Every structure is written in structure tokens, then in C-alpha cells.
Amino acid sequence: MSYIQDLARKFDSGEIETEMLMNTGNNDCHKILTQVKGIGTWIVDMFLLFCLKRQDVLPLADLGVRRGFQKFFNLPALPQPEQMLHLAKNWEPYRSVGTWYMWRMAASSIQ
């Protein structure tokens, strides 16, 4: 409950505004929203993908995306964030599409 209250306080005080989030880049959204108690990078990535419909989001902390990378790129272990960024470099500025495919890959029976 304290997480929701902290978020509400920040909106009520004007520290965070809807317009601000809609008009700022992904990195700045991360900086702003992770200041709220209980909001981490994964939640911000999901907010960027599903609420703001951003086209260039690669949730590096998402286990499904990591598993998709492992399967798609035939990696021996789950990739680390730096490796994922390197492998997805050519996907910019549409890494959100790659994210969807990695989720599908992780959920598939393809080995």
C-alpha cells in the first residue's frame, strides 16, 4: 500500500506528471519512475511498452526475454544485459518488436 501512496503523493505534488512521462525519453522515464518506492526497472519497462506504447524498449531484466534470447541465439546460458544489448543492436529503434518475439520464442516448444 505504501508504494501506491508514494506514487500518488508524487503525482499530487506535481513531482511526476502524466504529460512529463509522455513527452520524455525512455531513460528519463526510468530516472523519474524509479524514484518511486517499489518501482524498479522491470515495472518501468512494462509501463513504457504497454501504457506509453514505446517502440524501442528492451526489458533486460525480464526472464522471458532472456530465455527467448537464449533460445533464439542458441546460447549455452541466459544472457547478461550487456550481451543482450549487443545482440539486439540491429533491432533499434524497434526493440519492442524484438521483445515480443523473444517472449513468443521463450514460450514456444522450439529448441
Side-chain angles (χ1 to χ4, degrees), residues 55-73:
Q55 296 180 350
D56 194 28
V57 179
L58 182 64
L60 300 172
D62 188 275
L63 184 58
V65 173
R66 292 179 70 204
R67 285 187 175 151
F69 266 83
Q70 183 181 13
K71 283 174 114 175
F72 184 77
F73 291 102

Side-chain angles (χ1 to χ4, degrees), residues 94-108:
Y94 303 106
R95 291 182 295 182
S96 295
V97 175
T99 293
W100 284 97
Y101 279 105
M102 293 303 102
W103 278 326
R104 296 294 297 158
M105 187 72 176
S108 77

Side-chain angles (χ1 to χ4, degrees), residues 25-92:
N26 292 355
N27 289 337
D28 288 336
C29 277
H30 272 273
K31 289 176 189 169
I32 293 165
L33 291 173
T34 56
Q35 297 304 307
V36 177
K37 181 180 179 181
I39 294 183
T41 58
W42 184 85
I43 291 175
V44 176
D45 285 338
M46 297 306 111
F47 176 74
L48 292 170
L49 275 167
F50 296 109
C51 296
L52 296 184
K53 310 266 191 257
R54 297 286 173 89
Q55 296 180 350
D56 194 28
V57 179
L58 182 64
L60 300 172
D62 188 275
L63 184 58
V65 173
R66 292 179 70 204
R67 285 187 175 151
F69 266 83
Q70 183 181 13
K71 283 174 114 175
F72 184 77
F73 291 102
N74 199 27
L75 302 172
L78 288 174
Q80 295 301 310
E82 303 79 31
Q83 186 179 16
M84 293 169 67
L85 287 170
H86 174 73
L87 291 169
K89 184 69 177 155
N90 291 335
W91 301 353
E92 290 181 55

